[in-house]
Amino acid sequence: RLADLRGAFQAEQRRNGELFARCNEASEFCKTLSQENEKLQGTIARVAGRLREARTELEALRKERAEAKAQRKKERDLQKKAASAATEAAPTPTPAPGPPSVFESGPATAVSPPIAAPMLPTPDPAPVAVDDSMPPPTMIPAPRGDQADRERKDRKRRKTEGGAEDFVV
């Protein structure tokens, strides 16, 4: 019976030693994970800081662009106003005194029709070879307004950016 107890005691000591070694390994692994986690948190904080800086710079550039756009619009409006004022200020020509127009009431007179210049024959353009294997030329659609495209892209980008949240560290 004593031999059985000694065997059980030694088995428990071996098991205790194995568990102690596994516990030490787990402790070392946790320390390594903690160090890597701290490095990662630092990296995330730096990236979040750069992201905030980039967003503030982007917002400043957007405001600057909007101000420049408003300034250009004001300048165009001023130019239009100046052009319209110049046309309004210009005196309208008055018809010179002379014989009355055909449409005005007065005695009916015979008016001769104007003489047309003789028509000269024009040379025929060189014949163009038509290749039946080629498809007929298609109409190229007029390009859409760059401004409309930009506005649509801006709205789409703002919509996708709305769901992104800043990292909080």
Side-chain angles (χ1 to χ4, degrees), residues 92-124:
T92 56
T94 56
S101 163
V102 176
F103 300 105
E104 294 177 1
S105 63
T109 60
V111 177
S112 64
I115 300 172
M119 300 248 336
L120 298 175
T122 58
D124 289 334

Side-chain angles (χ1 to χ4, degrees), residues 53-65 161:
E53 289 173 5
R55 283 188 176 167
T56 55
E57 182 180 348
L58 179 64
E59 193 60 36
L61 289 173
R62 281 183 182 156
K63 287 179 183 177
E64 185 178 321
R65 180 177 160 234
E161 285 178 357

Side-chain angles (χ1 to χ4, degrees), residues 84-169:
S84 66
T87 58
E88 289 175 6
T92 56
T94 56
S101 163
V102 176
F103 300 105
E104 294 177 1
S105 63
T109 60
V111 177
S112 64
I115 300 172
M119 300 248 336
L120 298 175
T122 58
D124 289 334
V128 178
V130 176
D131 187 6
D132 292 332
S133 64
M134 296 294 290
T138 59
M139 293 293 294
I140 299 173
R144 296 180 67 186
D146 290 338
Q147 185 66 27
D149 289 339
R150 274 191 237 117
E151 289 175 356
R152 192 176 337 100
K153 287 178 183 179
D154 283 343
R155 283 194 302 266
K156 185 176 181 181
R157 183 181 35 76
R158 280 189 232 118
K159 185 177 179 182
T160 57
E161 285 178 357
E165 297 293 327
D166 284 343
F167 287 104
V168 178
V169 180

Side-chain angles (χ1 to χ4, degrees), residues 12 26-27 30 45-46 68 74 77 83 98 102 110 129 148 158:
E12 286 297 321
S27 175
C30 284
R46 282 193 301 274
K74 286 180 184 178
D77 289 344
V102 176
R158 280 189 232 118

Side-chain angles (χ1 to χ4, degrees), residues 8 11 24-26 37 46 77 82 100 114 136:
N24 284 337
E25 283 180 27
N37 188 27
R46 282 193 301 274
D77 289 344

